[in-house]
Amino acid sequence: MNATIPGPDDRPRCRWCAAAPEFLHYHDTEWGFPVADDRRLFEKLCLEGFQSGLSWRTILAKRENFRAAFHGFDFNRIARFTDADVERLLADAGIVRHRGKIAAVINNAKRAQEMVKREGSIAAYIWRFEPKADELAAPQTASTTAASIALSKDLKKRGWAFVGPTTVYAFMQAMGLVNDHAEGCVTRARVEAAQRTFKRPG
């Protein structure tokens, strides 16, 4: 099956972005472009954790609600959440109301603070796991890789939750550590250009 389909402008794009109307903009402007902002990296790890067992469409549709509920994923604020905040979040119909996943975000916020103290930034730590060119799988053929397994294992060792290798690989795809746009996808070349000029942190 062809990995690309024509977009609204007749240029080829990854087939998955036609699965829902909101995917096209996300595919063209976010997915795969390298990110060095700690808050965005933390947000994406949290949202990928919430996606576990669900579809990305569900999470993307609720993303603004998640941002409001979790104060823009400011991990310094989230680290101070109390049991009352957990109950508030469990009553919020705009997000995924899963006690374990909510608890994981609060736990991970505290781990993020520790990481910043130890590593300087979340970005400096995360980008150490960027795979080398000869370690990359063919586009959209893997759900885990050696790099995602290594990052997942290290995050778990540091006390992070809901960071399995598949979740972490989806995070790496989205945050630009891997360019998993299909060969021939018009956005693949744009991501390659962004990766070339991206200043790796740390």
Side-chain angles (χ1 to χ4, degrees):
M1 185 171 67
N2 195 335
T4 62
I5 57 163
D9 54 5
D10 285 330
R11 295 190 294 172
R13 285 174 174 79
C14 298
R15 178 172 287 276
W16 64 260
C17 74
E22 59 269 32
F23 282 177
L24 182 67
H25 183 262
Y26 175 71
H27 168 276
D28 281 4
T29 63
E30 288 188 58
W31 197 72
F33 289 91
V35 172
D37 178 78
D38 275 7
R39 193 181 293 198
R40 283 190 61 199
L41 291 167
F42 180 74
E43 173 186 291
K44 187 60 174 169
L45 268 174
C46 294
L47 292 180
E48 290 295 349
F50 271 108
Q51 187 193 338
S52 180
L54 302 170
S55 72
W56 176 241
R57 185 179 188 181
T58 298
I59 303 304
L60 187 60
K62 295 174 179 285
R63 184 164 65 169
E64 291 306 319
N65 297 333
F66 276 111
R67 286 172 172 167
F70 286 98
H71 302 307
F73 288 94
D74 178 344
F75 51 84
N76 290 312
R77 290 186 68 179
I78 296 169
R80 298 194 298 271
F81 275 15
T82 64
D83 290 344
D85 289 295
V86 174
E87 295 308 314
R88 168 181 62 82
L89 292 163
L90 285 169
D92 187 341
I95 67 168
V96 174
R97 293 179 286 183
H98 184 292
R99 187 180 292 274
K101 293 176 180 179
I102 290 167
V105 172
I106 299 168
N107 167 76
N108 292 350
K110 295 171 184 174
R111 305 293 80 79
Q113 288 181 316
E114 294 166 358
M115 183 175 286
V116 170
K117 284 179 186 171
R118 189 176 297 122
E119 310 291 344
S121 68
I122 296 173
Y125 166 80
I126 291 292
W127 278 92
R128 293 208 304 264
F129 291 86
E130 181 184 13
K132 296 178 175 60
D134 61 358
E135 298 170 342
L136 295 170
Q140 298 179 30
T141 60
S143 58
T144 64
T145 62
S148 79
I149 292 167
L151 176 52
S152 169
K153 186 176 180 181
D154 198 69
L155 284 168
K156 287 177 181 177
K157 190 169 73 176
R158 292 167 181 257
W160 291 64
F162 275 91
V163 287
T166 302
T167 294
V168 167
Y169 188 60
F171 163 81
M172 295 173 85
Q173 290 173 302
M175 298 288 95
L177 285 87
V178 176
N179 183 359
D180 235 3
H181 284 276
E183 296 289 351
C185 170
V186 67
T187 309
R188 182 176 179 83
R190 292 177 53 224
V191 167
E192 284 175 354
Q195 286 182 326
R196 281 194 298 272
T197 59
F198 179 66
K199 190 178 187 308
R200 270 71 177 166

